[in-house]
């Protein structure tokens, strides 16, 4: 990236731009960066110090787009211009499509470039669908579970009474089948109702204690062939939350990952990575947060089946034989109780569950 020589600007007057969620750069007429806001830093994966003074067109997949726009601004061909482009991100091969609005500041001669990631709107829509679906699921599950619970008790009780009246002991095999299946359904109902029964017990939570607890539990269950790698940012502060619910949410996700790694565990190269980071100036759940916990659970398994990718957080949806389809639903419920969100990005060989929770 070429560096354009410029005097050190006074960036104090731009600090308010750190409060906006859009990507903003203030440029000199020749394209040199005077200021980049926190959202742009975060998206590009570069520090403000690195960005300031550099040629901003170099961060575009097609630098000529911005260069042409800057030439038009210098020639006073327009006061503002909109166009579509793509920004290159550090350590990532794919570029981010953005909608660009370029405007000239009349008094200073500076150029304000504001960018909206085109994927951001799609992501916001997806988050909204997840929240609405979670609320619908909660009501559906609660009503369905209560409707099932009462008849189940009657079926089990009738089977027990019938068993007591049987003269032929061999016939008790059939009543035992009824009782056993009723108990199995009762267990499923209890699991469906579990997140709505337990109170939200708030205290100070250290996310790495949660991660270590989950890591130890999973390694006891899978002592051979599975490695759980840590990648922690130890500067993450404690926050207020329900430690037990967060342990259960993370455990459900990690156990789900371990269960799909069966073939890799058999050959000894199964890997799950627990990664924690601080995300800055992020928007999720239609709210802007200055700081948020970003916890990733990454596995090297076969990936989420394409047919259920959009429905993996729905209750009773599973890609495994014998799976209940409740683990990820409960995890999402517990994280949403912390005003957070779980997202999933999956391709064959790499599945990444990303947990976002606001930090103080």
């Amino acid at each position: 990236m070429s560096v354009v020589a410029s005097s050190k600007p006074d960036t104090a007057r731009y600090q308010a731009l750190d409060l906006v969620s859009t990507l903003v750069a203030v440029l000199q007429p020749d394209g040199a960066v005077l200021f980049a806001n926190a959202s742009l830093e975060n998206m590009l994966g570069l520090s403000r110090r690195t960005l300031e003074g550099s040629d901003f067109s170099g961060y575009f997949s097609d630098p000529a787009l911005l260069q042409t726009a800057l030439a038009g601004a210098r020639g006073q061909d327009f006061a503002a211009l909109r166009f579509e482009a793509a920004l290159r991100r550090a350590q990532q091969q794919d570029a981010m499509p953005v909608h660009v609005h370029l405007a000239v500041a009349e008094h200073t001669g500076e150029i304000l470039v504001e960018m909206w990631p085109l994927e951001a709107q799609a992501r916001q829509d997806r988050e909204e669908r997840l929240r609405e679906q979670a609320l619908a699921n909660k009501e559906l599950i609660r009503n369905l579970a209560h409707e099932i619970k009462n008849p189940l008790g009657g079926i089990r009780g009738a089977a027990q009474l019938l068993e007591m009246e049987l003269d032929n002991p061999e016939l008790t095999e059939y009543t035992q089948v009824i009782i056993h299946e009723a108990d199995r359904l009762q267990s499923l109902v209890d699991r469906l109702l579990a997140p709505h029964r337990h109170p939200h017990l708030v205290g100070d939570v250290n996310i790495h204690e949660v991660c270590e607890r989950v890591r130890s539990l999973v390694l006891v269950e899978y002592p051979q062939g599975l490695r759980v790698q840590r990648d922690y940012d130890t500067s993450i502060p404690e926050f207020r939350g329900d430690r037990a619910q967060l342990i259960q949410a993370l455990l459900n996700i990690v156990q789900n990952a371990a269960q799909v790694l069966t073939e890799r565990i058999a050959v000894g190269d199964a890997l799950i990575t627990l990664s924690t980071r601080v995300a800055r100036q992020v928007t999720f759940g239609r709210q802007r947060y200055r700081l948020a916990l970003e916890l990733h659970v990454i596995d090297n398994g076969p990936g989420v089946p394409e047919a259920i990718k959009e429905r993996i957080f729905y209750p009773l949806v599973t890609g495994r034989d014998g799976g209940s389809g409740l683990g990820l639903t409960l995890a999402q419920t517990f994280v949403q109780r912390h005003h957070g969100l779980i997202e999933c990005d999956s391709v064959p060989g790499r599945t990444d569950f990303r947990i976002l929770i606001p930090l103080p």
Side-chain angles (χ1 to χ4, degrees), residues 162-176:
L162 179 61
E163 188 175 276
M164 293 169 60
E165 299 295 326
L166 292 175
D167 296 327
N168 185 349
E170 292 182 2
L171 295 178
T172 60
E173 175 185 348
Y174 302 111
T175 55
Q176 282 299 309

Side-chain angles (χ1 to χ4, degrees), residues 316-333:
L316 309 179
V317 173
T318 179
R320 295 182 293 105
D321 292 337
S324 68
L326 291 176
L328 294 179
T329 303
L330 296 180
Q332 186 75 276
T333 298

Side-chain angles (χ1 to χ4, degrees), residues 62 81 124 152 160 172 298 340:
D62 184 358
L81 178 68
Q124 193 174 70
L152 270 182
Q160 288 177 312
T172 60
I298 304 168

Side-chain angles (χ1 to χ4, degrees), residues 1-9 28 30-34 46 48-59:
M1 188 70 63
S2 61
V3 176
V4 179
S6 64
S7 59
K8 185 68 176 175
Q28 291 180 344
D30 61 2
V33 178
L34 292 173
L46 297 170
R48 182 172 296 160
R49 181 173 296 181
T50 300
L51 290 166
E52 287 176 354
S54 63
D55 178 5
F56 194 55
S57 67
Y59 298 103

Side-chain angles (χ1 to χ4, degrees), residues 22-25 40 56 60 87 98-101 113-117:
T22 50
L23 316 175
V24 181
L40 183 57
F56 194 55
F60 285 79
L87 283 175
V98 291
H99 178 77
V100 183
H101 178 258
V113 180
E114 191 171 9
M115 293 154 287
W116 292 265

Side-chain angles (χ1 to χ4, degrees), residues 43-223:
M43 196 283 292
L44 290 177
L46 297 170
S47 70
R48 182 172 296 160
R49 181 173 296 181
T50 300
L51 290 166
E52 287 176 354
S54 63
D55 178 5
F56 194 55
S57 67
Y59 298 103
F60 285 79
S61 295
D62 184 358
L65 283 172
L66 183 65
Q67 291 166 357
T68 301
L70 289 171
R74 289 193 298 268
Q76 299 183 337
D77 296 339
F78 54 81
L81 178 68
R82 292 179 180 271
F83 59 94
E84 308 293 328
L87 283 175
R88 296 189 291 110
R89 296 178 280 186
Q91 310 301 324
Q92 296 191 39
Q93 293 183 345
D94 60 320
M96 173 182 281
V98 291
H99 178 77
V100 183
H101 178 258
L102 186 146
V104 180
E106 293 181 8
H107 300 297
T108 63
E110 296 167 349
I111 295 173
L112 183 71
V113 180
E114 191 171 9
M115 293 154 287
W116 292 265
L118 296 180
E119 66 184 34
Q121 185 61 49
R123 179 178 173 230
Q124 193 174 70
D125 292 342
R126 186 170 65 250
E127 288 177 1
E128 186 66 24
R129 285 198 307 273
L130 278 173
R131 279 198 309 278
E132 290 175 356
Q133 186 62 46
L135 290 173
N137 288 343
K138 180 179 178 180
E139 196 62 30
L140 172 65
I141 287 170
R142 181 182 293 169
N143 293 336
L144 182 61
H146 282 299
E147 287 297 321
I148 293 173
K149 193 177 179 66
N150 292 333
L152 270 182
I155 292 169
R156 193 184 194 283
Q160 288 177 312
L161 291 173
L162 179 61
E163 188 175 276
M164 293 169 60
E165 299 295 326
L166 292 175
D167 296 327
N168 185 349
E170 292 182 2
L171 295 178
T172 60
E173 175 185 348
Y174 302 111
T175 55
Q176 282 299 309
V177 168
I178 298 172
I179 292 169
H180 174 76
E181 290 304 303
D183 287 343
R184 187 173 64 84
L185 283 174
Q186 181 64 57
S187 175
L188 177 62
V189 168
D190 288 341
R191 290 183 64 195
L192 286 168
L193 288 173
H196 313 299
R197 285 176 170 170
H198 298 303
H200 194 49
L201 302 176
V202 176
D204 290 333
V205 176
N206 181 319
I207 194 60
H208 298 120
E209 290 179 0
V210 171
C211 290
E212 287 300 294
R213 174 66 173 159
V214 169
R215 182 177 183 272
S216 62
L217 288 171
V218 171
L219 288 178
V220 166
E221 189 175 352
Y222 299 91

Side-chain angles (χ1 to χ4, degrees), residues 243-256:
R243 184 174 181 271
Q245 287 187 2
L246 290 174
I247 288 174
Q248 189 61 58
L250 183 58
L251 182 61
N252 287 0
I253 294 172
V254 176
Q255 281 182 329
N256 185 75

